[in-house]
């Protein structure tokens, strides 16, 4: 069975390794949140930051992530 989640990258920076990112998270075809990662500064790759539209959608996504963090799950979906 296919899972209901997907990530759509809406902006990707020009840097070849660890580019800046912006995107949207979907559950089936419904937008449930957004994510972004800023630029690398002094060889530090910033974590992915996310915002969900509701606590319920965040909890469902977190349950789907299981043993991974939400950030790791977003990276896997990309």
């Amino acid at each position: 069975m296919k899972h209901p989640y997907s990530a759509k990258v809406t902006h990707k920076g020009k840097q070849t390794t660890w580019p800046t990112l912006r995107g949207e998270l979907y559950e089936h075809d419904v937008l449930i949140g957004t994510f972004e990662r800023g630029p690398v500064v002094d060889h530090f790759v910033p974590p992915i930051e996310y915002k969900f539209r509701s606590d319920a959608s965040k909890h469902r996504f977190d349950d789907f992530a299981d043993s991974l963090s939400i950030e790791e799950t977003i990276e896997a979906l990309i």
Side-chain angles (χ1 to χ4, degrees), residues 1-4 28 64:
M1 184 173 120
K2 188 176 176 190
H3 62 79
H28 299 288
F64 165 72

Side-chain angles (χ1 to χ4, degrees), residues 12-58:
K12 187 173 183 180
K14 296 180 192 275
Q15 191 174 3
T16 56
T17 56
W18 302 107
T20 59
L21 292 173
R22 274 194 303 271
E24 300 170 333
L25 295 170
Y26 291 89
E27 184 175 3
H28 299 288
D29 292 333
V30 178
L31 178 65
I32 61 167
T34 58
F35 63 90
E36 65 180 41
R37 181 176 59 214
V40 175
V41 177
D42 294 330
H43 304 288
F44 172 73
V45 178
I48 289 179
E49 297 176 359
Y50 53 85
K51 289 184 183 178
F52 285 89
R53 293 187 173 255
S54 70
D55 287 337
S57 62
K58 179 181 178 185

